[in-house]
Amino acid sequence: MSLLLLGGTGDARQLADSLHRRGVPLVYSIAGLVDRPRLECPVISGGFRQFGGLQRYLSSQRISAVLDATHPFAQQISDSAAAAARSLAIPCWRLLRPRWMPQAGDDWRLYRDWPTLLPALARHCRPLITVGQPPADVLAQLHAAAPHQRQWFRAATAARTSLPSSAQWIVDRGPFSADDELALLRRHRIDALVSKHSGGTATAAKLRAARALGLPVYLLTRPPLEPVDREFFCIDHCVDHVQRHYQ
C-alpha cells in the first residue's frame, strides 16, 4: 500500500525525498511539463489517462492515500484527486504554500480572472508577466487590449504557443534573488508586474523588487479547491503526519 504524491513543485520534490528517507512507500507523479525529477522513489510522468484515469490508477495500484503538493493554481488535478480519493474512501491531504502577505509600500491589485485583469493592465507599457504558460486566448486578448505594449513573459519552460511580435519570452526557474529581480526589472524598464498569487518563497523576491521600485503588482487570486481530509502549510508537519499514517 503506497502513497501517491502529486508533484511538480520544489516543495513536492522536498516532500518526496523526506518521505522516502523515512521509509514511506510512495509514487511521485508529475504532469510532464517540466523536467523529470531525479528521485529515489518511482516516478510517473504525463498524467493518468495512460492508466485509464486517476481513480482507476489508485484502485489498480492499491494506493492507500493521496498527497496533493501541486501548484496552488493546478485546480483540475487537485479537484480530481480529492474526488477520486473520496470515491475510494482513502485519505487525501494537501500541502499548500503560505499565502503572500502585503507589506508597507506594496501596491497590489487583486483579480479573480484574466478578463478582469487585462483591461486594467492595458494602461501600462512594459509589463513583466510571470504566470507560467498563458493560454493562447489570453495572449490574443492582451494584444487586442493593449497594442501599444511591449510585454515580457517569464516561465520555467519555453513558450508552447506563438507570441505576438510585441512579446519576449524569458526561460528561467526560481528561486530568484531580490538583486537579480531588481536587475531584471531595471534592465527592461518594467512598469508593472503580473503574477499568480501562488505564495511560497521561491518566487517571492519579485514582490520585494517591485516594492523597491514602487511598481504595481497585478495578482490573480487562487482558485477555490475541493475540500480534503487535511491541509498543511508546513512541509515538516506534513511529513510527520504522513509518516505516522504509514507506521
Side-chain angles (χ1 to χ4, degrees), residues 71 73 97 100 108-111 114 117 121 128-132 154 192-199 203-204 206-207 216-222:
H71 192 276
F73 282 75
R97 298 177 183 178
W100 292 325
W108 289 7
R109 306 168 190 194
L110 306 181
Y111 298 87
W114 284 109
L117 187 154
L121 186 65
L128 172 65
I129 302 171
T130 60
V131 296
R154 183 174 68 188
L193 174 67
V194 182
S195 176
K196 293 176 177 177
H197 202 331
S198 53
T203 61
K206 62 188 173 186
L207 302 176
V217 179
Y218 292 77
L219 292 170
L220 287 166
T221 56
R222 292 185 183 186

Side-chain angles (χ1 to χ4, degrees), residues 81-102:
R86 186 164 53 248
S87 69
L88 296 173
I90 62 174
C92 184
W93 309 305
R94 182 177 292 139
L95 176 69
L96 288 169
R97 298 177 183 178
R99 294 180 183 272
W100 292 325
M101 301 300 295

